[in-house]
Amino acid sequence: MIAVAPDPAVLAGLASTRPEPAGAAFLRTGGHARRLLLLKTLLVRVRRHRDAVAPAALRSFEAGWLLLERTERADPDVVRAALDYPTTGTWLAAALTEPPGAGLDRHLAYFELLAVTAALRAGLRMDLTVEAPDGVIPLPGLGRVVAGGPGRVRIDARSRSVRIGSVDGTGSRAVLRRHARGAVRAVTGSGPGWHGVRALPGGATRLEDLDPYRLPPGMGMPARAAADRADTDHAGWAGSWTAARGLLRATDRARSFEVGRTVDVVVPLVPLGTRSIGATLGAAPGAILMTPAVGALDMVETLVHEMHHSKLATLHELVPLHGPPPPDRAAPTYRVGWRRDLRPVAGVLQGAYAHLALADLWHRAARAPRGSGVPGRWRAQSARQFDHIHDQVVEALALLLESDELTNAGREFARQMRTHLASLGSGRRALGPHCAHGT
């Protein structure tokens, strides 16, 4: 929760689901401030209960804190990027909720590797050893080093090269190279022990199939599983991503730019059946988890849908849109058109927001002129989907505006959502003549 609510125009822009720089900046800035607060909370917890932390884990955490401070003095932007990386949020959530014991000790040891990664990106010199209980050194957002069996691993970072391997010289080794490209520093790796995070084409989004915190255990019903590197078809993902971004750019250029700026990582999930699945984590804004898409249309819709779940979760953390359920009675639940089960007010708001974004997308796709690059099949399909979802969102917003669970900000947010939906019109007449014709 933040002390100062956003300007009403910023809140209205976010409610419309349309990409706007002011709304994106508000979420990024507020999300970073919250990340810093959670990190400070973890520091206080560790210091308060230091007697319950294993000495080695405590030394590792404190060494990481000192290294991160040193890196921030050299390059604050690098530290900010490391702290804002999606898996950092998942790690923080795990560390803050884990009771003292071996589990918490493992979480605390990871922090030193987060600091090491930032220092590597900033170009700092260092020569240190870290514990690798399973012989693997994750470097968040960069990659991982498989050094062999359990033991201590040395990280020797010179001006341009970094050597990482077991202290006793056995097992695999990795060599990283640091390159200065203007104001941007890049790190590349080689060697049998090196596995780097791979970028998706045409931007900064990465296919994250390495980080141990990319997916919490037991997420979803049934439980989802993150795909391992060996089971990830990078070429297939890259092709789907390129096709989806091209289709989105032809349909809604502003939305395409928003995806490129907002989606930091795509986390591949192990497929369950033939239906594509997407998900987000409230603790990890900027990450979209999904099974391989069935074509470009499927990926576009999944990206837009899940991105708005993530945006709304971040906004609610900064400006609460609804209150907790009443302590003296069960929380009310509601029926919505897109789900078979009854939903609490939080679920109704999340679903309405994500489907409003899809309605906006389908409205634009259905109105796209011939020759725009939007396939005629999708224009016709989008018109049908817009028709189908429009009234469902209208009904959900009516439920929200009648609920006493929304805060004042939440009620105004829902009103602005309703205003934007009304601006799209309803039915095929609102979509114009283009929607009825395929090619």
Side-chain angles (χ1 to χ4, degrees):
M1 186 175 188
I2 61 172
V4 180
D7 183 279
V10 173
L11 193 65
L14 288 168
S16 76
T17 76
R18 293 301 304 157
E20 293 185 358
F26 175 78
L27 295 180
R28 283 279 187 183
T29 302
H32 179 68
R34 177 171 170 75
R35 189 66 56 87
L36 291 176
L37 178 62
L38 292 175
L39 186 60
K40 182 65 178 294
T41 301
L42 179 61
L43 175 64
V44 171
R45 183 187 182 206
V46 170
R47 288 178 173 173
R48 185 173 296 164
H49 303 287
R50 59 187 303 118
D51 292 342
V53 177
L58 184 61
R59 286 194 300 270
S60 175
F61 181 80
E62 291 179 338
W65 195 276
L66 292 174
L67 180 58
L68 200 66
E69 288 181 334
R70 177 185 160 205
T71 306
E72 187 171 37
R73 288 192 293 270
D75 194 332
D77 289 341
V78 163
V79 171
R80 176 169 183 152
L83 294 181
D84 288 351
Y85 193 64
T87 60
T88 302
T90 316
W91 162 74
L92 263 173
L96 286 168
T97 55
E98 185 77 24
L104 178 60
D105 293 342
R106 286 194 298 272
H107 295 321
L108 296 181
Y110 177 86
F111 179 65
E112 185 176 15
L113 301 176
L114 177 69
V116 165
T117 306
L120 291 176
R121 289 188 181 279
L124 267 62
R125 290 173 175 264
M126 56 185 165
D127 188 353
L128 72 162
T129 57
V130 296
E131 294 289 345
D134 54 0
V136 177
I137 299 294
L139 300 173
L142 195 58
R144 72 181 176 198
V145 177
V146 180
R152 294 180 64 78
V153 172
R154 181 184 179 188
I155 301 172
D156 182 12
R158 308 296 174 92
S159 59
R160 293 192 177 181
S161 66
V162 183
R163 298 184 181 277
I164 304 176
S166 59
V167 171
D168 61 10
T170 62
S172 301
R173 301 184 67 83
V175 177
L176 308 186
R177 301 290 181 186
R178 302 196 276 203
H179 315 273
R181 299 171 182 169
V184 179
R185 292 189 178 94
V187 180
T188 58
S190 61
W194 174 246
H195 304 273
V197 175
R198 298 173 294 195
L200 290 169
T205 304
R206 285 161 277 192
L207 191 68
E208 179 56 89
D209 55 4
L210 292 174
D211 196 286
Y213 287 94
R214 64 192 185 275
L215 178 68
M219 174 187 162
M221 291 292 289
R224 311 294 181 211
D228 292 329
R229 165 59 63 91
D231 301 320
T232 303
D233 177 10
H234 181 259
W237 279 98
S240 296
W241 177 260
T242 299
R245 288 294 303 278
L247 178 60
L248 188 54
R249 188 163 50 249
T251 307
D252 187 344
R253 185 172 292 271
R255 187 76 78 197
S256 177
F257 288 152
E258 182 185 35
V259 167
R261 290 191 305 264
T262 303
V263 181
D264 298 320
V265 301
V266 172
V267 177
L269 298 177
V270 174
L272 289 175
T274 57
R275 189 169 66 91
S276 297
I277 295 171
T280 54
L281 301 170
I288 292 183
L289 299 78
M290 59 188 300
T291 56
V294 184
L297 302 183
D298 183 40
M299 179 172 269
V300 164
E301 292 173 359
T302 300
L303 287 171
V304 171
H305 184 94
E306 298 301 337
M307 182 174 67
H308 283 81
H309 279 318
S310 186
K311 285 167 63 175
L312 187 63
T314 300
L315 177 63
H316 177 63
E317 292 286 356
L318 304 175
V319 184
L321 302 174
H322 52 82
D328 57 338
R329 57 188 172 92
T333 54
Y334 308 88
R335 189 167 299 283
V336 292
W338 52 83
R339 292 283 294 248
R340 294 182 179 179
D341 55 335
L342 295 173
R343 306 296 291 156
V345 70
V348 176
L349 181 58
Q350 275 283 356
Y353 190 63
H355 283 93
L356 175 59
L358 285 176
D360 182 275
L361 174 71
W362 290 329
H363 183 268
R364 291 169 186 274
R367 290 174 60 87
R370 295 175 185 271
S372 63
V374 177
R377 179 173 63 88
W378 196 37
R379 295 204 306 270
Q381 178 180 316
S382 294
R384 293 191 297 271
Q385 290 173 306
F386 178 85
D387 269 354
H388 178 69
I389 204 62
H390 178 275
D391 290 347
Q392 293 182 0
V393 177
V394 167
E395 292 170 2
L397 289 172
L399 291 173
L400 290 168
L401 289 169
E402 291 171 3
S403 170
D404 61 1
E405 296 177 83
L406 295 187
T407 62
N408 290 337
R411 187 161 285 102
E412 179 59 25
F413 191 78
R415 288 194 193 101
Q416 294 293 344
M417 287 173 62
R418 183 175 62 183
T419 297
H420 183 65
L421 182 62
S423 75
L424 302 179
S426 62
R428 295 205 169 202
R429 291 181 183 177
L431 298 175
H434 301 296
C435 69
H437 303 287
T439 55

